[in-house]
Amino acid sequence: LRPKDQSKITGGKVLDKTGSKLNDRNTQSFAIKRLLQIAYLLKIVSVCPTNDGLFGKTTEKAVNQLLKKWGYKQTGVAGTQFVNKLSNEIKRKVK
């Protein structure tokens, strides 16, 4: 048996241990938000981050939504591997 809410499970694979996370305000966070906004327009994710440079709650929610979809632990961290996976999904949708 498995619980319906898999986010409560402490185990699981972690995609990125380092990267942008909640309350970060830098160029990387801004770029990740822009990718997530494109992903929202392509219906890859159902949460659209705001247009500021802060990695806030909405951005964290969008990141966790994708991590869950991809079968990873919902850490709220968007690093290099996250960006690669997301850009590949965007490329597949645009083709």
Side-chain angles (χ1 to χ4, degrees):
L1 297 175
R2 296 170 60 150
K4 286 183 182 178
D5 187 359
Q6 296 289 307
S7 67
K8 306 284 188 223
I9 297 174
T10 56
K13 302 176 286 182
V14 174
L15 183 61
D16 287 307
K17 292 184 180 182
T18 60
S20 291
K21 60 188 179 307
L22 190 61
N23 296 323
D24 283 352
R25 185 183 295 271
N26 53 40
T27 305
Q28 181 181 355
S29 297
F30 183 77
I32 288 167
K33 288 177 71 134
R34 291 295 190 219
L35 279 175
L36 288 167
Q37 289 170 343
I38 294 166
Y40 173 78
L41 293 172
L42 295 172
K43 299 183 187 322
I44 295 169
V45 68
S46 66
V47 180
C48 186
T50 56
N51 279 327
D52 59 12
L54 177 67
F55 193 113
K57 291 276 188 191
T58 309
T59 308
E60 182 184 53
K61 187 174 181 180
V63 167
N64 281 334
Q65 188 180 92
L66 285 170
L67 289 171
K68 182 178 181 180
K69 175 181 172 183
W70 297 333
Y72 291 95
K73 185 175 177 183
Q74 296 174 51
T75 60
V77 177
T80 306
Q81 292 181 74
F82 179 89
V83 170
N84 284 335
K85 284 187 82 58
L86 181 53
S87 65
N88 287 335
E89 278 213 35
I90 290 170
K91 287 176 192 175
R92 277 194 297 272
K93 280 277 192 173
V94 180
K95 283 185 178 180

